[in-house]
Amino acid sequence: MTASHYPLLFATLGDAAASIPDELAQALETTLAAPATGPTDDGFALLGCLRRIRQGEGADGQLWPSRRHTPGQRVALARIDRANAGLILLLEVLHASERVRVDGEEVQQIGDDIREGLLLACRGLSEYMGTQLPAV
């Protein structure tokens, strides 16, 4: 797959787009190229949602409401809010996996590699939030 066949997909995912199967890449490119529809210029198409997310949507899907912060600070706060929501979800999954490890059947358990991956994801999100806080 080359960038010339799927320019919107490559613009969205970068080099990771090359690992997507051609059939899926074609469907994603079609979705990305679809005209926006809905009550706003961006509509509810995928690219419109991505634009709103990049403009500072928080975990609740709304732009950060504070008027006393600059636009850049609002984007940083929204990113922290999303990272925090993701961290909470990861910790809940990790907690549930530990309960299953202790009390569940062996076939219900996740592997040590997945548990370690969850821990690393939690660390990464925590570190990201820590780097964003001084900017606000």
Side-chain angles (χ1 to χ4, degrees):
M1 171 186 345
T2 65
S4 62
H5 288 105
Y6 306 106
L8 295 173
L9 186 59
F10 271 87
T12 304
L13 299 177
D15 292 337
S19 64
I20 296 175
D22 195 54
E23 185 176 291
L24 178 58
Q26 185 175 9
L28 289 170
E29 184 72 15
T30 302
T31 301
L32 290 169
T37 59
T40 66
D41 290 341
D42 283 334
F44 296 105
L46 183 60
L47 284 180
C49 288
L50 287 172
R51 283 186 197 105
R52 285 190 299 278
I53 288 168
R54 288 182 184 142
Q55 290 170 353
E57 268 188 5
D60 62 357
Q62 302 300 313
L63 293 178
W64 198 260
S66 175
R67 294 183 184 177
R68 64 176 197 220
H69 294 99
T70 67
Q73 289 171 330
R74 289 194 301 266
V75 168
L77 287 168
R79 287 179 177 166
I80 291 169
D81 187 45
R82 290 194 313 264
N84 187 51
L87 180 59
I88 289 169
L89 174 72
L90 287 171
L91 286 169
E92 288 172 350
V93 170
L94 188 59
H95 189 192
S97 75
E98 179 61 13
R99 284 188 180 169
V100 170
R101 187 187 69 77
V102 171
D103 297 326
E105 301 292 324
E106 191 169 332
V107 296
Q108 297 170 316
Q109 296 178 20
I110 62 173
D112 289 340
D113 55 336
I114 295 174
R115 203 171 4 268
E116 185 175 351
L118 289 169
L119 282 169
L120 291 173
C122 291
R123 279 185 55 194
L125 284 172
S126 297
E127 291 166 358
Y128 170 79
M129 290 188 306
T131 63
Q132 293 298 305
L133 287 174
V136 178

